[in-house]
Every structure is written in C-alpha cells, then in structure tokens.
Amino acid sequence: MTDRTRDGHTGAETAAWGEIDRVWADVLGETDRTVFEAAGWGRRAGFGRRPALMVVDVNYNFCGDRPEPVLESIERWRYSCGEVAWTTAIPSIVRLLEVARRKRLPVIYTTNPRRPDGFDLGVWTAKSTRSDETVDVNGHLGNQIVAEVAPEADDILIEKRKPSAFFGTPLMSHLTMLGADSLIITGTTTSGCVRASVVDAISYDLRVTVPHEAVFDRAVLSHKVSLMDIHMKYADVTGLDEVLSHLEGLREGLFDEVYPPAAARARSGSGSGSE
C-alpha cells in the first residue's frame, strides 16, 4: 500500500516499524526500540521526484579484488569489506544501474585517492596503524571502481578526501545544476562514507533512500546499527525491490533538458552511455 507524506512525496509506509525493521532487529534492544517509537522517529520521508543514483567508494580498496573472507582480503586490501561486497552489494548495484541508465538518470560515483604522503587526508590517517600502505595512493588499482559496476564515460566521478561525498567537492553544485531533489545512495562503508554522505545530503534538504542490500561494511554490527540510525533520523532505508519499482515508475528523460549526456542518449535512442 502506498502512502503519501505530508508534502505529497510517496513512500511505501509512514510507520517506522515495518518489514525493514528486521534488518537490525537482532541488534536493537527493547528499551532502545521503545525510545525511538515514543519519540516518533522513523517516519518514512518518501522518494523524491528527480533522483540521482550515487555509488560511494565501490573500488578495489573496499571490495578487494575477488570474493573472499574479509580477514583474508584485508591482508592485501586494508580497507576491504570482504565477500559481502561481491555476493550482495555489487549485484544489487548492477540492477540499480541498469534501470537508472535506461531512465537516463544521473549516475554519480565517488572514490578517494590520496597523495603519497597522505597530507590531503589530514588527521584521518591517524586512525590506522596501516595508513602508510599505498593501496589508496592516487593511481593505484585500489582507487578504481570495480569493473562490474564501472562508470561509463558520461557518468559523474567525484574524487573526495574525506568521508562525505559532499565535503570539499563540487557534488552539491552538480545536483543544483541538474535540479535533482533526491539521491539513491549505495556503496560503502555503511557506517562511514555512506552515513556521512547521507547526513550531508539531508542537511542540504535532499531526500535520501538507501536500499540496504546495496550498501555494505566490514563489520556486521556497524552495518546494522548505522542502517537503523539512518532510517530513524535521516533517510529511508528500504529494500532493493522497492527502489527498483520506484525507478521503473519514473518517466524516461527527466534530466534530458539539463544534463547533456542524457539528452545525447535520448537522441541516439540508447539508455546507456555505451555506443
């Protein structure tokens, strides 16, 4: 059943405690649940009308170069989240990309290269005993988006140096130019760069939806608690199928007048940037 939020945006339900609660039910105690319910948190905000799809840091640093247990992957890729990236998130992002490109929606990627001396990351480097490893230095394979979800020539690529995709980047300027009112955010880590980007997005009054199958983290607890907190206070955490259904319901070409690559795909009769 589809409800509308008070300003007319659509959402599957306005109550906090629905099917999605099962994602974090095993880490949310009864007292904490009661507190959120009593305070009224978790109401669905609904989808926006002009969404862009964002893929946060789905590079080899965070995925590793193949599906393998996280502790094995971390031996070579210190940021790695292990096989969950390959078994769940990447296949989900592939499905979202197919629909978004067919609808000619903007697709935005982030990655996070650094200088060899790490100066541009600032004090962030102080939080790891392995920060001198070179997997995230500019030009390293680790900064490349994994091939399965690689950007196409006309997608938007944001190189960032801090957790949020917005901090110190032209992202908000691009979204303003596009007239986008919302983001579908995917990627990693749920507790780090995804959460930071969600909070900054809603701080700019963008509606945000996070399909839980399309985000991932190296720690299960961090992933679940972050999804719960995002859903309670900032954005809508939903299932992948709901997001796909919403995107399928959008008319093609919402951005053709303001985004030249979309207009070019329309003229060519292609839903993809590939020729």
Side-chain angles (χ1 to χ4, degrees):
M1 179 178 179
T2 298
D3 258 330
R4 289 188 179 271
T5 58
R6 62 184 178 182
D7 59 356
H9 289 74
T10 59
E13 57 180 283
T14 56
W17 309 103
E19 187 72 19
I20 198 66
D21 184 41
R22 296 183 181 182
V23 174
W24 50 77
D26 60 336
V27 298
L28 182 64
E30 191 59 35
T31 298
D32 289 343
R33 178 188 174 105
T34 302
V35 167
F36 280 113
E37 285 184 308
W41 291 110
R43 180 183 181 184
R44 286 289 297 268
F47 293 100
R49 297 184 178 91
R50 291 173 61 86
L53 175 64
M54 189 155 74
V55 182
V56 176
D57 296 353
V58 184
N59 55 34
Y60 290 104
N61 272 332
F62 285 95
C63 300
D65 54 0
R66 58 181 178 267
E68 61 184 344
V70 63
L71 286 175
E72 294 179 22
S73 188
I74 282 177
E75 291 179 6
R76 290 172 295 111
W77 304 94
R78 70 182 183 92
Y79 293 99
S80 181
C81 298
E83 58 194 338
V84 66
W86 299 92
T87 59
T88 304
I90 289 173
S92 299
I93 295 169
V94 167
R95 295 178 65 190
L96 288 162
L97 286 169
E98 189 281 322
V99 179
R101 290 192 169 121
R102 178 158 41 82
K103 294 291 183 174
R104 303 197 295 279
L105 301 177
V107 178
I108 302 163
Y109 289 82
T110 73
T111 191
N112 50 348
R114 66 169 174 89
R115 288 169 33 149
D117 61 8
F119 173 80
D120 46 348
L121 294 187
V123 298
W124 203 2
T125 60
K127 290 303 295 179
S128 175
T129 60
R130 295 174 60 182
S131 60
D132 59 342
E133 296 181 17
T134 60
V135 293
D136 56 345
V137 169
N138 193 24
H140 195 284
L141 172 67
N143 294 307
Q144 293 184 24
I145 308 300
V146 300
E148 287 77 0
V149 295
E152 296 188 351
D154 53 11
D155 292 331
I156 298 169
L157 178 64
I158 300 291
E159 292 189 347
K160 62 187 180 69
R161 300 299 187 272
K162 303 297 181 182
S164 172
F166 291 86
F167 186 87
T169 77
L171 176 56
M172 193 60 223
S173 179
H174 294 335
L175 294 172
T176 299
M177 186 73 174
L178 290 166
D181 68 352
S182 51
L183 289 171
I184 309 297
I185 295 185
T186 69
T188 191
T189 61
T190 315
S191 61
C193 297
V194 168
R195 181 189 167 107
S197 299
V198 167
V199 173
D200 274 1
I202 68 97
S203 299
Y204 284 110
D205 288 325
L206 296 166
R207 291 176 184 269
V208 178
T209 303
V210 179
H212 70 88
E213 301 96 329
V215 294
F216 57 103
D217 207 305
R218 64 183 64 86
V220 173
L221 178 62
S222 298
H223 174 72
K224 291 185 176 185
V225 171
S226 295
L227 285 175
M228 182 274 296
D229 213 38
I230 287 170
H231 186 69
M232 289 299 109
K233 298 186 291 188
Y234 303 114
D236 290 346
V237 176
T238 71
L240 175 66
D241 288 342
E242 183 181 341
V243 178
L244 290 169
S245 177
H246 173 71
L247 296 181
E248 289 285 9
L250 298 175
R251 70 173 177 84
E252 292 184 9
L254 283 172
F255 294 88
D256 287 0
E257 293 183 2
V258 293
Y259 190 45
R265 290 199 298 269
R267 289 193 298 271
S268 70
S270 171
S272 169
S274 302
E275 296 294 336

